[in-house]
């Protein structure tokens, strides 16, 4: 459980990995994972170990994108498991995010 | 706290029948700064407690008339919610007797003889407990008040939201499950009928929970109702709700929504689906004939420039039914673990169920496999497209304003012509200037058909005269979008003239199109409206208007609509 965050060795990419349930209760931890880093960096949300995601989590991804620079942001969402991938598909998140 | 520290103003009731003991006690308490009230027996102690309302009671056990035990019981029953510490002072050493002191409601006992220091410490300890009790009680009162306020507000909000989200004109043939808990968690279902006879529906699911989710339902349903009654189509409605929600909602809140228009006359369904599970079209054999999946992001996410209005279109057969629902249905937890799921939901249509029973079957199935955990935080809507046949056209009623003479014209050229629909604007003029509300449905149909003739038939060649370019109905909308995007030049001109008559008026509407490359303007065979050569919509104008004719070619049409009972 929780949200793991790390900065790449070149200092250009912030990697955020929610573990277990990514939902309303992750709000603070998820925000803490990116808020100390400036806009303009690359942000990668790694969903490999995310088991569940609700609409609050979708909202948090929008907040991250806004923090990262809005329309100028580079936010990658990757490694989503089938069930979570379908949530992202229904929400058409590929229109705002680089969903891999 | 030292025992010599003054404790000013605190009122203490001393119940003591032995005068020397009483004098000693009074002196000690006086030094502490207490205000002392004395009772000589148990009866007097109870009376003085009621009258004087002391904040602390010191009670002797052995007293005349009523002993200390009984007096303590009475005193503790006078104000059960308040904590007034009661300390027994006694020379008794017997354990049972001491235990009884606490049993009858005393809070502590002090055996004689005692020193002033011991008495002071005991009183201090009791007062600390009293203060703690008071602050807990204060918090309790505050919490209870807040809770009651919250519940009252929630009841009020539920009432308001219920009337908003259940309002509108419900038609026959629509069934829905929308529980108060779903409403309060941000689900929304509204329907309204457009004057052209289309049934509009909106099924939505706001992100988040509780009041904040439900509150955003109000502007969304307001826009839905007012734009539908204003004659706007669902793409315009989706775009407007999106713009509104984008401006009022915080960045992480949005509204998954599917907006549909059931055209019961042309037998078409149009759907805008952003973030909702697929809308199902089910035939008379209960087979899922088509799905309208999510093609867009939810409302309130994208800014106006990025918003995508594109609709999905489906032809409807005789008794098709439409199922729309929120993800609360497919995500419903089931007793065996896991969720109801899209597959589980769609499997309900494989069951041998009469079409009219399908709705109940779905709910019953879900209830059964959910077991104890059934949770009605979900929305399911069924629309029977045959039973919803709406709107008698051409109602006539008295006008609200005296007839006047006036005229106006509107010319629209490419590129505005590619996106702008002038019909709501023109309809608005007719309603405002001439007060033709009762004729609204007819006027909307006339304007829509004239515009469709000018743009779709003449400029885009989709139907009507130039048969070579005409397209089949199932390709109509995609082909229309393609040709509209490719239209390099062209115009549509509306001219509207109104002439007052006694008891009514004549409204002459001319529409002319031109300016597009390769457009033909061959007059139709007999220069009159001939149903066999005209599109169905244009042919209908003959039945709605006093006269309808081509003016020197198919690119210019004039209709005269007569309202009231003119002479």
């Amino acid at each position: 459980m929780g949200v793991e965050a790390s900065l790449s060795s070149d200092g250009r990419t912030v990697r955020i990995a929610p573990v277990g349930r990514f939902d309303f209760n992750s709000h603070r931890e998820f925000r803490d994972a990116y808020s100390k880093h400036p806009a303009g960096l690359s942000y990668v949300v790694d969903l490999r170990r995310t088991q569940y995601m609700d609409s609050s989590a979708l909202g948090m991804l929008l907040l991250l994108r806004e923090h990262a620079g809005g329309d100028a942001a580079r936010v990658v969402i990757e490694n989503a498991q089938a069930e979570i991938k379908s949530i992202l598909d229904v929400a058409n998140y590929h229109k705002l995010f680089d969903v891999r | 706290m030292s025992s010599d520290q003054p404790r000013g103003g605190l009122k203490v009731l001393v119940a003591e029948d032995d005068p020397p003991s009483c004098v000693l006690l009074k002196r000690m308490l006086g030094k502490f700064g207490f205000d002392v009230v004395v009772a000589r027996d148990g009866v007097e102690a109870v009376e003085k407690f009621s009258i004087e309302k002391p904040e602390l009671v010191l009670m002797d056990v052995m007293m005349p008339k009523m002993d200390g035990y009984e007096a303590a019981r009475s005193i503790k029953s006078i104000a059960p919610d308040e904590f007034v510490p009661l300390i027994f002072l006694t020379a008794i050493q017997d354990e049972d007797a001491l235990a009884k002191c606490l049993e009858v409601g005393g809070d502590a006992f002090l055996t004689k003889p005692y020193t002033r220091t011991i008495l002071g410490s005991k009183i201090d300890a009791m007062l600390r407990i009293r203060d703690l009790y008071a602050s807990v009680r204060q918090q309790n009162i505050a919490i209870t008040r807040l809770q009651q306020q919250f519940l009252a507000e929630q009841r009020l909000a539920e009432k308001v939201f219920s009337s908003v989200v259940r309002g509108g004109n419900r038609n026959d043939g629509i069934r829905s499950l929308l529980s108060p808990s779903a409403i309060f968690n941000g689900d929304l279902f509204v329907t309204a009928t457009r004057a052209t006879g289309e049934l509009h529906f909106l099924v939505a699911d706001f992100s988040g929970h509780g009041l904040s989710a439900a509150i955003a339902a109000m502007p969304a349903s307001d826009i839905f109702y007012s734009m539908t009654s204003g004659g706007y189509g669902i793409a315009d409605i989706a775009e407007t709700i999106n713009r509104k929600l984008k401006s009022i909602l915080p960045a992480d809140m949005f509204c998954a929504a599917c907006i549909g228009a059931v055209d019961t006359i042309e037998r078409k369904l149009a759907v805008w689906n952003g973030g909702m599970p697929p809308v199902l079209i089910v035939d008379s054999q209960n087979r899922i004939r088509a799905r309208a999946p999510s093609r867009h992001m939810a409302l309130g996410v994208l800014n106006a420039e990025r918003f995508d209005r594109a609709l999905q279109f489906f032809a409807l057969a005789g008794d098709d039914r439409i199922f729309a629902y929120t993800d609360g249905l497919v995500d419903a937890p089931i007793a065996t673990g896991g969720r109801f799921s899209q597959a589980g939901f769609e499997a309900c249509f494989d069951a041998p169920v009469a079409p009219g029973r399908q709705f109940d079957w779905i709910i019953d199935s879900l209830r059964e496999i959910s077991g104890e955990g059934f949770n009605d935080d979900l929305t399911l809507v069924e629309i029977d497209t045959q039973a919803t046949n709406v709107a008698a056209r051409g109602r006539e009623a008295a006008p609200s304003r005296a007839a006047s003479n006036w005229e106006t014209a509107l010319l629209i050229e490419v590129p505005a012509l590619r996106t702008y629909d002038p019909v709501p604007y023109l309809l608005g003029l007719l309603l405002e200037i001439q007060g033709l509300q009762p004729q609204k449905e007819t006027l909307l149909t006339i304007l829509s058909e004239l515009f469709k003739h000018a743009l779709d038939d003449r400029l885009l060649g989709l139907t009507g005269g130039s048969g070579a370019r005409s397209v089949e109905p199932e390709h109509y909308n995609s082909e229309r979008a393609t040709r509209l995007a490719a239209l390099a030049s062209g115009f549509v001109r509306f001219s509207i003239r109104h002439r007052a008559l006694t008891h009514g008026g004549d409204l002459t509407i001319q529409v002319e199109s031109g300016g597009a490359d390769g457009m033909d303007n061959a007059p139709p065979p007999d220069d009159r409206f001939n149903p066999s050569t005209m599109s169905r919509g244009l042919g209908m104008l003959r039945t709605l208007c006093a006269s309808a004719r081509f003016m020197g070619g198919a690119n210019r049409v004039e209709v005269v609509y007569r309202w009231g009972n003119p002479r």
Side-chain angles (χ1 to χ4, degrees):
Chain A
M1 295 300 171
V3 178
E4 293 173 6
S6 59
L7 185 64
S8 64
S9 52
D10 63 2
R12 288 198 192 147
T13 305
V14 181
R15 198 172 187 81
I16 304 171
V19 180
R21 292 179 69 87
F22 183 19
D23 63 11
F24 185 75
N25 298 311
S26 321
H27 224 284
R28 192 192 172 129
E29 268 190 284
F30 189 79
R31 193 188 53 213
D32 288 349
Y34 64 76
S35 56
K36 58 179 177 285
H37 300 293
L41 296 186
S42 284
Y43 289 84
V44 176
V45 180
D46 182 352
L47 298 178
R48 190 188 304 276
R49 285 178 294 160
T50 307
Q51 250 89 55
Y52 170 85
M53 193 164 117
D54 70 355
S55 68
S56 312
L58 290 174
M60 287 179 237
L61 292 171
L62 293 174
L63 287 177
L64 165 63
R65 182 175 178 275
E66 198 173 69
H67 172 82
D71 286 350
R74 280 165 301 162
V75 181
V76 174
I77 301 174
E78 62 179 24
N79 299 324
Q81 296 170 21
E83 202 172 318
I84 289 176
K85 180 70 168 51
S86 84
I87 292 173
L88 294 168
D89 287 346
V90 168
N92 280 284
Y93 263 42
H94 63 275
K95 296 192 179 193
L96 286 185
F97 296 86
D98 185 356
V99 181
R100 293 175 184 169
Chain B
M1 196 184 286
S2 99
S3 52
D4 281 332
Q5 188 180 326
R7 301 158 179 90
L10 224 71
K11 192 183 275 184
V12 180
L13 173 64
V14 172
E16 173 66 80
D17 63 320
D18 174 42
S21 301
C22 195
V23 169
L24 183 69
L25 199 51
K26 265 184 90 169
R27 194 182 308 147
M28 285 184 187
L29 293 170
K31 284 203 172 157
F32 293 145
F34 290 134
D35 185 2
V36 182
V37 177
V38 176
R40 298 288 173 191
D41 58 56
V43 174
E44 197 184 346
V46 176
E47 277 170 17
K48 290 216 164 149
F49 181 84
S50 296
I51 297 162
E52 300 281 349
K53 301 196 187 327
E55 284 139 293
L56 178 72
V57 179
L58 300 178
M59 177 87 70
D60 190 12
V61 175
M62 311 299 283
M63 286 186 295
K65 290 190 188 169
M66 182 192 278
D67 68 12
Y69 297 137
E70 207 179 330
R73 267 203 192 92
S74 301
I75 283 173
K76 284 291 182 182
S77 69
I78 287 171
D81 287 345
E82 276 168 58
F83 180 63
V84 180
L86 190 152
I87 305 172
F88 278 104
L89 304 173
T90 176
I92 306 171
Q93 297 287 345
D94 173 46
E95 274 189 11
D96 289 344
L98 290 177
K100 195 175 176 189
C101 291
L102 304 185
E103 208 173 282
V104 299
D107 300 296
F109 53 80
L110 204 53
T111 50
K112 295 174 185 173
Y114 47 80
T115 64
R116 198 177 75 183
T117 308
I118 293 293
L119 177 65
S121 313
K122 198 67 152 185
I123 289 175
D124 283 344
M126 280 295 112
L127 292 179
R128 280 200 300 274
I129 293 173
R130 187 198 65 154
D131 291 347
L132 186 64
Y133 181 91
S135 82
V136 168
R137 184 151 183 270
Q138 277 308 315
Q139 286 168 8
N140 238 321
I141 290 170
I143 288 168
T144 307
R145 191 175 300 144
L146 277 177
Q147 191 189 13
Q148 281 167 352
Q149 194 179 336
F150 174 75
L151 288 175
E153 278 173 6
Q154 181 162 335
R155 273 193 296 272
L156 176 72
E158 267 180 22
K159 209 174 153 194
V160 174
F161 292 134
S162 295
S163 63
V164 169
V165 303
R166 292 178 198 280
N169 51 352
R170 277 298 153 82
N171 295 87
D172 293 335
I174 299 177
R175 297 198 57 187
S176 64
L177 174 75
L178 175 65
S179 69
S181 111
I183 292 171
F184 223 67
N185 279 308
D187 281 10
L188 175 67
F189 169 52
V190 285
T191 66
T193 308
R194 196 184 184 197
T196 41
E198 286 153 295
L199 173 79
H200 284 180
F201 64 89
L202 164 65
V203 181
D205 179 4
F206 284 83
S207 66
H209 295 280
L211 197 56
S212 58
I215 216 157
M218 306 198 64
S221 53
D222 267 0
I223 290 168
F224 175 83
Y225 287 135
S226 61
M227 288 189 74
T228 297
S229 85
Y232 290 89
I234 58 171
D236 285 329
I237 293 173
E239 191 171 25
T240 307
I241 295 176
N242 179 68
R243 195 184 311 125
K244 180 72 180 176
L245 293 181
K246 175 75 180 162
S247 73
I248 64 172
L249 293 181
D252 58 339
M253 263 189 77
F254 48 81
C255 172
C258 93
I259 310 179
V262 184
D263 186 334
T264 51
I265 291 151
E266 303 269 339
R267 308 298 302 161
K268 277 189 316 192
L269 168 69
V271 173
W272 187 96
N273 185 344
M276 293 283 277
V279 175
L280 306 183
I281 301 167
V282 176
D283 68 14
S284 58
Q285 307 298 306
N286 256 358
R287 282 182 302 240
I288 298 172
R289 208 163 60 66
R291 291 175 182 80
S294 166
R295 288 276 163 78
H296 305 288
M297 298 200 79
L299 295 169
V301 175
L302 294 172
N303 54 31
E305 295 75 52
R306 298 185 74 148
F307 185 78
D308 186 350
R309 300 162 46 99
L311 303 177
Q312 302 172 62
F313 291 91
F314 303 88
L316 292 173
D319 35 18
D320 280 346
R321 284 160 303 126
I322 299 162
F323 285 85
Y325 46 97
T326 56
D327 61 6
L329 179 76
V330 286
D331 287 347
I334 59 178
T336 52
R339 294 167 190 283
F340 192 37
S341 80
Q342 188 70 29
F345 168 57
E346 294 194 6
C348 292
F349 293 90
D350 296 333
V353 180
R357 287 269 310 135
Q358 189 63 47
F359 186 90
D360 295 322
W361 175 263
I362 294 166
I363 300 299
D364 292 347
S365 305
L366 176 59
R367 207 181 283 273
E368 195 173 310
I369 64 169
S370 300
E372 303 268 303
F374 180 72
N375 168 346
D376 61 358
D377 185 7
L378 57 92
T379 297
L380 174 66
V381 172
E382 179 197 46
I383 297 170
D384 181 336
T385 62
Q386 199 162 48
T388 49
N389 216 326
V390 287
R393 296 183 189 224
R395 270 188 297 157
E396 291 289 335
S400 60
R401 273 176 219 159
S404 313
N405 292 330
W406 54 273
E407 53 187 77
T408 184
L410 177 67
L411 171 71
I412 311 155
E413 294 189 13
V414 171
L417 200 50
R418 294 200 196 109
T419 52
Y420 179 66
D421 177 1
V423 170
Y425 166 73
L426 293 172
L427 180 65
L429 284 181
L430 297 177
L431 300 186
E432 273 175 42
I433 301 176
Q434 205 50 67
L436 295 172
Q437 267 79 12
Q439 290 81 12
K440 186 175 165 186
E441 291 164 7
T442 310
L443 291 170
L444 178 54
T445 303
I446 293 170
L447 290 168
S448 300
E449 293 302 340
L450 286 174
F451 185 56
K452 190 174 169 214
H453 170 75
L455 182 61
D456 292 27
D457 295 359
R458 305 311 307 161
L459 287 174
L460 303 178
L462 286 161
T463 55
S466 38
R469 296 180 70 212
S470 296
V471 293
E472 295 304 312
E474 60 265 36
H475 303 126
Y476 189 93
N477 291 290
S478 59
E479 184 60 27
R480 182 181 191 276
T482 308
R483 291 191 192 177
L484 197 54
L487 188 64
S489 62
F491 70 85
V492 171
R493 186 201 316 271
F494 273 94
S495 308
I496 297 179
R497 191 173 73 244
H498 187 260
R499 287 291 167 263
L501 305 169
T502 316
H503 305 297
D506 267 350
L507 188 66
T508 305
I509 307 174
Q510 254 190 36
V511 64
E512 182 187 355
S513 49
D517 294 335
M519 209 178 148
D520 75 74
N521 190 23
D526 54 4
D527 207 36
R528 283 181 312 185
F529 272 44
N530 182 339
S532 63
T533 59
M534 299 318 305
S535 70
R536 209 181 117 209
L538 207 51
M540 190 166 62
L541 293 179
R542 293 197 318 166
T543 61
L544 296 176
C545 299
S547 79
R549 61 189 178 117
F550 290 113
M551 310 272 289
N555 289 343
R556 193 191 287 191
V557 180
E558 183 188 271
V559 300
V560 179
Y561 174 70
R562 178 165 290 188
W563 60 272
N565 298 300
R567 285 167 201 160

